[in-house]
Amino acid sequence: NELRRLTAGKLPKLAVAALVLVPLLYASFYLYANYDPYGRLSKLPAAIVNEDAGSGGRNVGREVTDEVVRSGTFGWHEVSADQAQQGVRDGTYSFAITIPADFSTALLSTGNFNPQQATIRLTTNDANNYLSHTIANQVAQQIRTTIAEKVGAEAANRFLMGFSTIYGKTQEAANGASKLADGAGQLLGGQRQLADGVGQLATGSTQLSSGLATLKAGTASLPQDTRRLSDGAAQVAAGNAQLAAAANVLASSSADLRRNLDSANNQLTQQLRDGGFTDAQVQQVLSALGQLRAPLDNADNRIQQTAGQVNQLADGSRQVATGAAALAAAAPSLSGGIAQASDGANALSAGAVKLDDGEKSAVTGASQLATGAAQLRDGLNAGLREIPNPNDPTRTATADTIADPVAVQSAGVANAGTYGAGLAPFFISLATWIGAFVLFLLLRPLSTRALAAGTAPLRVAVGGWLASALLGTAQVLVLFGAVTWLVGIHVAHPVAAIGFAILASLTFTAIVHALNALFGAVGKFLGLVLLVLQLVSAGGTFPWQTLPDVLYPLHVVLPMGYVVDGLRHLFYTGASLQSLLDVGVLCAYLAGAIAVSTLAARKRRVWTVSALQPELSL
């Protein structure tokens, strides 16, 4: 009957159509307008000012400016500082980023161990748009992060290059230490051989010193003894000379005698021949005479031989006397030299002992040197293995990782895709409530004829609600068609989402119906109040946990938060236990609202003056 009443003419039919389209106009146009604002940020004008003077032949500000302009994330315009300031003030630019003159100098200051923090200046104007300020802050932060990564990568690359240099120098030191260890080992071996030789020298010098001391003691009287020897040798030489002279006289006399006998033999031979002896007789006489003189000839031979030996003895005695004299003359010097040699040998022995002790210390030091050199070699080699020595690709990759150590891997359980899709559950919920609210601008919550006829209160209540339920369902269907087909928002589970939205519409129409049935004109105002309360507590934009604590109970109690939650699951992922809770809460509200409408129908069976002539009529 209510639907028939509303469609009894052309204008009422248009009014009903308008009521059905109200949620569509509210939600779909808003979602269309905000479908993907981040994808159109390139239309947002922004200014960038590069005042960087550069440093060390490099202008980082120029690099950043070119990279930002090429990115196309915003409608970038490179302008002067005055133009940027005036443009932000009059709204030509949403915001401006200024790179100061000392930007490169500050960025590269760490290489000179004179660190300075580089800054970029962000200029915004909330009179243009508050969100542009928020977006500009994010852009500035992104630029800062990009610059930090770039500079950090270069600094880390230089740092790692320093490791490679240290590695090379340490390797040279390790090679030198290996040579030092080898040389120290050879030195130790030589020192040990030298120590053995010095020990032998010390022993030999001690023996030499002892022997020379004995020789010195034995030759102390050598000058006197050699002088006496020289004197005795001279006397012997003089006596031998006299003996030689006598022997020469005797030899000469014996030789003269022999010559005289030979002459007498010749004379005797002539006389015997002259006396008439035959040659045989002469020979017999001479033979007999020869036998007689044979001892004399032998004696002469011995005398001549002895005289020669005596002469040799005289000559030898003279030589011995001469040598003894020379020995006597040299004996003092020889004795002094032996004494000096003994003293030197003593000093040599003492020095050799000290040298032996020092060489033992030298061997100990050489051993310590060899041990230390080996430890140095091993330590340098071990340290060399610990020093990074990456190749160029590894160094570049490591530097990039140091500059940007953390990467974010998004593993979203569900993804809305666009800003509009993210807001769709909230605005569909809001549109559904508004649709239910405006329906009762035309619909009567309770049928007066049914109340007057004494129809059961439950039947009156349900009958008064069914018209809004049907129109609310039509609103949801039209709204979903526009949101999905025209706006292009993807729904993961469209059938379930439409069913849940219809349940939400049934619940909202039942609640608004109950308010209007129970409170009349005041119920419309209460429906508006509930709209505002749910608007701020449903958590449709920011997470509901960010609400002030005083609003927490509203989020838990009011139904729109559960509608938003249920639609989010069905739009992005699917049904869950939380979705069952959402359905349960809406069913409870639906049942409760019908119960309140039934109570209102029961109360309206009794007519009062205020019911016939209300103080306020909307």
Side-chain angles (χ1 to χ4, degrees), residues 5 187 214 231 234 245 287 296 316 319 332 383 396 433 435 446 479 534 548 568:
R5 182 184 69 82
L187 174 63
T214 302
D231 294 343
S287 175
L296 183 60
Q319 293 176 356
T396 301
W433 182 276
L446 297 176
L479 175 60
Q534 293 181 109
R568 280 174 176 166

Side-chain angles (χ1 to χ4, degrees), residues 7-78:
T7 58
K10 185 176 181 180
L11 189 59
K13 290 179 181 178
L14 293 176
V16 171
L19 292 177
V20 172
L21 294 178
V22 166
L24 171 65
L25 297 175
Y26 180 80
S28 61
F29 274 105
Y30 187 90
L31 293 177
Y32 174 73
N34 294 276
Y35 178 72
D36 188 16
Y38 294 106
R40 297 179 58 82
L41 289 179
S42 59
K43 304 293 183 180
L44 188 66
I48 185 167
V49 180
N50 178 33
E51 298 179 338
D52 189 9
S55 175
R58 185 177 179 187
N59 192 313
V60 181
R62 182 75 268 161
E63 298 174 11
V64 172
T65 300
D66 293 341
E67 185 173 344
V68 167
V69 173
R70 284 196 306 268
S71 68
T73 52
F74 293 89
W76 290 105
H77 300 270
E78 185 177 356

Side-chain angles (χ1 to χ4, degrees), residues 368-418:
Q368 294 174 349
L369 174 62
T371 301
Q375 292 175 348
L376 176 62
R377 177 198 60 203
D378 297 339
L380 285 174
N381 287 325
L384 189 64
R385 290 190 294 270
E386 298 297 328
I387 297 176
N389 185 30
N391 54 25
D392 291 342
T394 303
R395 183 170 58 251
T396 301
T398 304
D400 293 340
T401 303
I402 292 174
D404 187 16
V406 179
V408 177
Q409 291 184 348
S410 297
V413 177
N415 184 15
T418 63

Side-chain angles (χ1 to χ4, degrees), residues 225-235 320-329:
D225 294 339
T226 55
R227 176 54 55 192
R228 287 195 297 270
L229 175 63
S230 176
D231 294 343
Q235 292 175 1
V320 169
T322 302
L327 176 62

